[in-house]
Amino acid sequence: MNLNDFKSGKIINELSIKEYSWNSPSNIALVKYWGKNVDQIPKNPSISFTLSNCKTTTSVKFTKSSMKSNSVNFDIIFEGHSNQNFRPKIEKYFSKIIEYCPYLINFHISINTTNSFPHSSGIASSASGMSALSLCIMSFEKDLTSFQGDEYFYKKASFISRIGSGSACRSIYGGINLWGANDEFKNSSDLYSIKLKENISSNFNNYRDTILIIDNNQKEVSSSVGHQLMNEHPFSELRYNKAFENISKLNLILKNGNLHEFCLLVESEALTLHSLMMSSNPSYLLMKPETLSVINQVQEFRKLSNIPVCFTLDAGANVHILYPNKNIREVSEFIKNKLSRYCSNGRYIDDEIGKGPIQN
Ligand code: PMV
């Protein structure tokens, strides 16, 4: 599909007021997206697990407006309060998607959003938030214009989510998702994500992710700045090539179910992401001493127990502990006894691979 295919169809219904609500989960990348062209066109493909418990619930009310405007008129309530912090990001998102959803300027849009994970837990909510908002817009488009089928609905939801926040496009489907054009995957695209479902080893069924909250402060350098720094990064081309190579390797691992290789690959991707930050100009460091202590403990535990538990990192200090569901008892004990001491107020969130967004 190309860009023109995402322009909305003819309006066939006159709607004056409509409201929709979606729950949409966050996701955690295994092979990371780091570096982009304009409008979140990724420099390399990425693969992620969609989560389940870490999610955003967003309701959007569309009210027909008589005012003529060139931009989208909206207000936003976050966790029960009017919130101006998100305005610039959402304003930018609307201004970019207007080309594909021009009907939006004829309505006043009231957004009401909450996260399931604790406020300021240091967990990025842009993936869950942008995907939930995009799904509400698509539900409205479905009622307003000639419906083009479920496949198109989710593809365009992923497409406009990407415009809001790159990684958000991987939250539209449950399970394991790939975003970014790659010859090895039929139908893959830089514009939206696709769900990987063929021949995935049952070793990945109900895979677990426990998120250790090491630091609940806002990170000092945003992901947008980090992506930007990749443009002048001395290692960027090497990184993009390596990411393509790792996508290929992970594709094989997802099929053969080799969890030992999975752990090595996922950890190397996480450390590569942070090494790119450390070698940017200016350089910066998002890991904290506790992040490193957890990493050491996880690697030692894996070696001693032979349980395929590994860590990954997002662009922050918090650590995601990934492990098979069948090892939940041993790993939960390990987390409680050995890792929780590194968490801010002992806080961690148990999550797992999820089934994807749900309309309320
Ligand atoms: O979607 P963004 O712009 O917040 O970038 C996300 C980048 C990482 O979370 C670090 C990696 C990824 O692929 O999700």
Side-chain angles (χ1 to χ4, degrees):
M1 281 176 88
N2 61 41
L3 293 174
N4 278 333
D5 298 325
F6 290 106
K7 296 200 166 156
S8 57
K10 255 213 179 117
I11 293 184
I12 55 164
N13 290 316
E14 278 300 318
L15 301 175
S16 54
I17 186 158
K18 275 295 226 181
E19 189 165 358
Y20 305 87
S21 174
W22 279 85
N23 282 336
S24 190
S26 191
N27 69 74
I28 179 68
L30 307 168
V31 172
K32 311 288 183 184
Y33 147 62
W34 200 240
K36 62 176 177 180
N37 295 316
V38 76
D39 289 344
Q40 281 73 251
I41 296 299
K43 291 282 192 181
N44 63 262
S46 52
I47 290 182
S48 58
F49 282 160
T50 297
L51 298 180
S52 173
N53 300 332
C54 289
K55 59 183 183 229
T56 297
T57 302
T58 297
S59 309
V60 182
K61 193 167 169 185
F62 300 84
T63 312
K64 186 94 184 178
S65 159
S66 50
M67 283 194 314
K68 285 267 163 275
S69 166
N70 292 328
S71 57
V72 178
N73 205 302
F74 71 96
D75 55 64
I76 175 156
I77 306 280
F78 175 63
E79 319 249 290
H81 303 283
S82 164
N83 191 306
Q84 299 305 309
N85 296 346
F86 300 123
R87 266 203 94 79
K89 190 160 181 150
I90 295 178
E91 240 158 41
K92 189 165 170 206
Y93 164 75
F94 279 133
S95 73
K96 295 268 183 186
I97 67 165
I98 236 168
E99 195 182 338
Y100 306 101
C101 311
Y103 50 84
L104 290 174
I105 55 170
N106 299 323
F107 292 85
H108 178 80
I109 296 173
S110 297
I111 306 165
N112 197 324
T113 187
T114 53
N115 291 335
S116 67
F117 37 92
H119 185 44
S120 71
S121 58
I123 297 190
S125 54
S126 61
S128 51
M130 280 299 175
S131 53
L133 175 58
S134 299
L135 284 158
C136 290
I137 292 171
M138 283 311 294
S139 289
F140 183 51
E141 180 171 312
K142 178 177 170 181
D143 286 348
L144 193 71
T145 67
S146 43
F147 182 49
Q148 302 191 51
D150 274 342
E151 193 183 333
Y152 179 81
F153 177 95
Y154 286 104
K155 214 168 253 187
K156 183 165 174 184
S158 180
F159 172 85
I160 58 174
S161 297
R162 185 205 89 245
I163 294 173
S165 171
S167 57
C169 77
R170 297 186 312 236
S171 278
I172 295 297
Y173 308 99
I176 306 175
N177 281 266
L178 166 89
W179 165 41
N182 186 331
D183 293 344
E184 271 185 40
F185 297 85
K186 199 164 65 134
N187 302 327
S188 61
S189 169
D190 284 344
L191 302 178
Y192 47 81
S193 79
I194 57 170
K195 181 175 167 132
L196 299 183
K197 45 192 174 197
E198 272 163 38
N199 307 320
I200 301 287
S201 160
S202 58
N203 285 354
F204 294 101
N205 289 354
N206 307 107
Y207 221 75
R208 310 276 318 170
D209 177 7
T210 298
I211 305 153
L212 309 182
I213 313 300
I214 304 288
D215 186 7
N216 52 20
N217 293 312
Q218 183 136 12
K219 53 194 178 207
E220 285 133 42
V221 182
S222 71
S223 288
S224 327
V225 171
H227 284 291
Q228 223 174 351
L229 289 172
M230 284 301 284
N231 294 336
E232 303 295 322
H233 200 292
F235 308 144
S236 58
E237 286 310 315
L238 283 174
R239 160 59 191 160
Y240 304 143
N241 289 338
K242 188 76 192 163
F244 271 89
E245 210 179 279
N246 281 347
I247 287 282
S248 225
K249 279 191 186 161
L250 183 57
N251 186 22
L252 217 67
I253 292 169
L254 291 173
K255 288 175 180 153
N256 69 24
N258 186 328
L259 294 182
H260 178 70
E261 283 185 14
F262 176 79
C263 289
L264 298 183
L265 181 82
V266 165
E267 291 188 350
S268 143
E269 272 290 316
L271 294 179
T272 299
L273 171 69
H274 282 257
S275 70
L276 290 164
M277 297 171 190
M278 287 188 253
S279 48
S280 289
N281 183 15
S283 59
Y284 63 105
L285 183 59
L286 296 183
M287 290 188 283
K288 300 281 177 206
E290 293 81 0
T291 312
L292 297 183
S293 300
V294 166
I295 289 175
N296 288 334
Q297 293 260 357
V298 168
Q299 291 185 331
E300 200 178 308
F301 177 78
R302 183 169 69 238
K303 206 156 111 196
L304 293 176
S305 66
N306 219 16
I307 291 174
V309 52
C310 65
F311 69 86
T312 187
L313 306 163
D314 234 327
N318 299 332
V319 188
H320 291 245
I321 308 289
L322 303 177
Y323 50 99
N325 192 42
K326 71 172 196 282
N327 297 117
I328 189 166
R329 195 182 49 78
E330 304 95 309
V331 180
S332 296
E333 243 163 61
F334 164 60
I335 291 172
K336 192 166 123 225
N337 297 335
K338 299 277 191 222
L339 302 184
S340 63
R341 70 185 70 162
Y342 301 111
C343 300
S344 167
N345 298 319
R347 216 157 70 178
Y348 56 89
I349 300 173
D350 282 318
D351 212 336
E352 61 185 326
I353 288 197
K355 295 191 165 48
I358 296 174
Q359 185 168 14
N360 298 309

